[in-house]
Amino acid sequence: MNTLEKLGAFNVWANTTVLNRLNEVAATGQEIPPIVLRLLSHVLNAQAIWIARIGGTPSPVKVWQEHDLAACHQLHAQTSETLHQIMVQADETELQRLISYTNSLGDKYDSMVHDILTHAVVHASYHRAQVATRLRDHGLEPVNSDFITYCRELSAAGLATVSL
């Protein structure tokens, strides 16, 4: 498996893992801190935005648009595996293709698809770490969504990717 494909599979696993933890919190009747939903919404929004930019379509969401837990699940279902499949299916020509886009501040940029896909996973990891910190700040135990934890699960299961 190439690195980009593995990172895409990891991203699906990590988003699923965090959402499952939030389901557990909600099931106990505890409130999910609004900042946690804001950060996770941002992760999923960014995925939708990057997918739209790669595909040359308008974004269905805004960068910091906030969602409840159910809507986060829906956006995850619509974007996480789609992003992974772009990583799986992209050939070298596609990975080197330049995408022209305007960011949320109105600045214009050109970026290679490969760099965008790598950024999407790194960006999501950064904000999932913030989710973990905010959960702990509110007395809730976060889940470990580190890349190496994903790799350990792969190894323990004798698999190339974790089945979701």
Side-chain angles (χ1 to χ4, degrees):
M1 172 183 293
N2 75 40
T3 301
L4 195 56
E5 288 179 34
K6 190 170 187 175
L7 286 173
F10 155 70
N11 190 63
V12 173
W13 171 87
N15 287 340
T16 301
T17 299
V18 169
L19 281 163
N20 287 343
R21 176 64 185 122
L22 296 182
N23 288 344
E24 292 170 359
V25 170
T28 66
Q30 297 178 78
E31 179 187 7
I32 298 171
I35 187 63
V36 167
L37 288 173
R38 177 173 166 77
L39 290 165
L40 187 57
S41 293
H42 176 66
V43 166
L44 300 169
N45 292 339
Q47 291 181 171
I49 291 166
W50 286 118
I51 290 166
R53 287 175 179 163
I54 290 169
T57 61
S59 173
V61 293
K62 302 288 185 206
V63 175
W64 285 102
Q65 184 176 334
E66 295 184 36
H67 310 287
D68 63 14
L69 184 56
C72 283
H73 275 282
Q74 289 175 336
L75 199 52
H76 165 59
Q78 295 165 358
T79 64
S80 296
E81 185 56 35
T82 299
L83 193 63
H84 176 223
Q85 285 307 309
I86 291 170
M87 294 172 183
V88 169
Q89 295 169 5
D91 61 14
E92 195 59 33
T93 300
E94 174 64 6
L95 292 173
Q96 298 301 319
R97 182 169 63 101
L98 278 178
I99 301 292
S100 297
Y101 59 94
T102 303
N103 71 6
S104 61
L105 300 175
D107 301 321
K108 295 184 184 303
Y109 294 98
D110 295 317
S111 298
M112 285 191 305
V113 170
H114 185 278
D115 292 340
I116 289 168
L117 295 172
T118 302
H119 165 74
V121 175
V122 172
H123 174 263
S125 292
Y126 171 80
H127 288 297
R128 283 190 299 265
Q130 290 181 315
V131 166
T133 299
R134 297 301 185 179
L135 284 170
R136 185 162 280 128
D137 288 348
H138 287 86
L140 299 165
E141 189 60 30
V143 67
N144 184 334
S145 64
D146 289 340
F147 178 73
I148 198 66
T149 302
Y150 170 73
C151 293
R152 289 174 187 152
E153 287 191 19
L154 290 179
S155 180
L159 302 171
T161 61
V162 171
S163 177
L164 300 174

